[in-house]
Amino acid sequence: MTLDLPSNREEAWRWADLGGIAAAAALTPITRPQAQFLDLPGAKLLFVDGVLDDAASDLHRVRVGDLAPGAHALGKRATRGWSLHLDAQAVAHPVQVVHVATGGDNHVAAEIVLDTDTSAQVVETFVGAGWSNRNTRIRLGKAARLMRAVRMTQGAGFVTLRDEAELGEGASLIGTMLAAGDQGVRIDAAITLAGEGGYAEYGGALLTRDRLKQECAVRVRHAEPNGQSHQLWRAVAADQSQASLAAAVEVARHAQKTDGEQSLRGLLLHRTATVNLKPELEIFADDVKCAHGATVGELDARALFYMESRGIPAPRAKALLTRAFVADALDRIGDETVRDAFAADADAWLESAL
């Protein structure tokens, strides 16, 4: 099977593991893994190889059907999926979506539209093996609030995410991503603060090992004044793996009083691993506060020595320090049940990697 994929010659795809995507799409079928939902009220959707399992799903306010294709190179493949539309001043129970892959490629689209002063929470989980490709479009009305958390724990294959979000006046988007499986990952997002006083917080942690490649490519555009955005990413790379973080902030000429922050940090568990960081600021306004920080390092040898001298085994000491390194990216999840699930995923990955 020949896939029409972008080229690494394009700047936006320079670190993309296109070969890994093609290999994931060609994986042979595996036994369907068990899908477990978190103990949360609200809608529960189970997609198996991109098809809704009606018997295992409870839609509540969510609809499933055809959606208009986008223009993104990978996202345009997804034309059918789920949608959540909330009217003004509505508050929805959490929406859980579990994606199970059993080999090959599958594509699912999603649309989240929140009207004025609405609130919603979406939690997505990926398990199995294959190429899971997702395209999510988000539109938030005035003072709407969306919390979104995505955990990628496939045992093999690749997960590609494309998020396109538009925030209205005073709207808030908080998105947290965790890659803690044995799959390649590409997180691709374009977020526009289209209304005055919008707030976007988008980040997470990439945990990669063996020869896997994981990356994020996120661009936040401030189109109106008084907006705030925070991108906080942590990457942990072991063995001969590669993690790449590319985060951009663009401030339009009239988007005065913008506050944009980027924090990109990488941790090498082995010197054979690679972490690439690319923070980017494009500022056309005068009265703004924008900053970025980018660092790559190793575990603190003195802290390791101290912990080992107190009787903590070396693998456990490394796991504790690494967990602390990614904690600030995961602790931003507001729901305790979801936050604990993400922490457990990270701990399980660290136990096996170290």
Side-chain angles (χ1 to χ4, degrees):
M1 178 178 63
T2 302
L3 294 177
D4 181 19
L5 297 175
S7 170
N8 290 123
R9 294 190 181 95
E10 301 175 45
E11 179 63 24
W13 299 86
R14 61 182 296 191
W15 290 319
D17 185 10
L18 303 176
I21 295 176
L27 284 177
T28 56
I30 65 168
T31 302
R32 174 174 165 175
Q34 184 178 8
Q36 294 185 344
F37 291 96
L38 301 180
D39 185 17
L40 295 171
K44 296 177 174 61
L45 284 73
L46 175 62
F47 284 92
V48 181
D49 294 331
V51 179
L52 182 73
D53 184 334
D54 293 290
S57 300
D58 187 357
L59 298 184
H60 281 270
R61 301 182 179 184
V62 179
R63 297 180 181 178
V64 173
D66 294 327
L67 296 171
H72 186 260
L74 300 183
K76 66 183 180 183
R77 296 169 178 266
T79 59
R80 185 172 178 81
W82 60 274
S83 60
L84 173 67
H85 290 215
L86 293 183
D87 296 330
Q89 298 182 339
V91 177
H93 285 303
V95 174
Q96 288 192 74
V97 186
V98 175
H99 304 276
V100 175
T102 66
D105 59 327
N106 64 86
H107 312 275
V108 175
E111 184 177 71
I112 303 172
V113 180
L114 306 185
D115 207 337
T116 301
D117 197 24
T118 56
S119 179
Q121 178 182 354
V122 175
V123 182
E124 296 187 64
T125 301
F126 290 82
V127 297
W131 177 26
S132 301
N133 181 40
R134 302 295 179 263
N135 183 35
T136 303
R137 279 175 288 186
I138 299 167
R139 190 167 72 249
L140 305 183
K142 182 178 180 180
R145 302 168 300 282
L146 174 64
M147 297 182 63
R148 182 161 174 261
V150 181
R151 50 203 289 245
M152 292 156 277
T153 58
Q154 285 191 184
F158 216 99
V159 175
T160 53
L161 305 178
R162 169 63 175 178
D163 288 355
E164 298 175 2
E166 181 178 297
L167 281 60
E169 180 183 349
S172 171
L173 169 64
I174 299 178
T176 305
M177 314 289 162
L178 172 65
D182 285 317
Q183 78 277 289
V185 167
R186 176 178 169 89
I187 301 168
D188 188 325
I191 302 169
T192 301
L193 280 67
E196 183 172 356
Y199 180 89
E201 192 171 296
Y202 197 92
L206 306 181
L207 312 179
T208 185
R209 59 188 172 188
D210 298 326
R211 293 180 177 270
L212 290 174
K213 293 183 178 181
Q214 298 179 351
E215 67 164 329
C216 78
V218 179
R219 174 171 288 269
V220 176
R221 183 173 186 270
H222 289 263
E224 295 295 335
N226 297 304
Q228 291 188 53
S229 66
H230 303 275
Q231 296 185 65
L232 189 150
W233 290 96
R234 300 291 180 259
V236 178
D239 306 317
Q240 294 176 284
S241 64
Q242 175 179 296
S244 302
L245 305 175
V249 172
E250 177 185 342
V251 182
R253 189 172 302 278
H254 65 284
Q256 306 294 343
K257 304 295 183 181
T258 286
D259 183 354
E261 177 189 14
Q262 297 169 308
S263 175
L264 311 181
R265 295 178 61 191
L267 178 63
L268 298 174
L269 297 183
H270 303 98
R271 294 191 176 183
T272 52
T274 302
V275 173
N276 300 308
L277 304 180
K278 185 188 176 187
E280 185 177 353
L281 298 175
E282 297 182 14
I283 303 172
F284 301 98
D286 298 322
D287 187 6
V288 302
K289 183 174 70 173
C290 292
H292 65 73
T295 60
V296 178
E298 298 176 290
L299 289 172
D300 189 330
R302 290 175 297 181
L304 282 173
F305 175 78
Y306 176 83
M307 297 175 74
E308 290 177 37
S309 69
R310 295 300 185 270
I312 301 176
R316 180 60 178 163
K318 290 181 180 179
L320 289 173
L321 290 176
T322 308
R323 175 68 177 84
F325 175 78
V326 301
D328 53 352
L330 304 182
D331 289 347
R332 300 187 174 212
I333 300 173
D335 188 289
E336 183 178 359
T337 299
V338 180
R339 187 171 61 251
D340 289 346
F342 275 59
D345 292 335
D347 289 342
W349 186 92
L350 292 171
E351 289 288 336
S352 60
L354 299 172

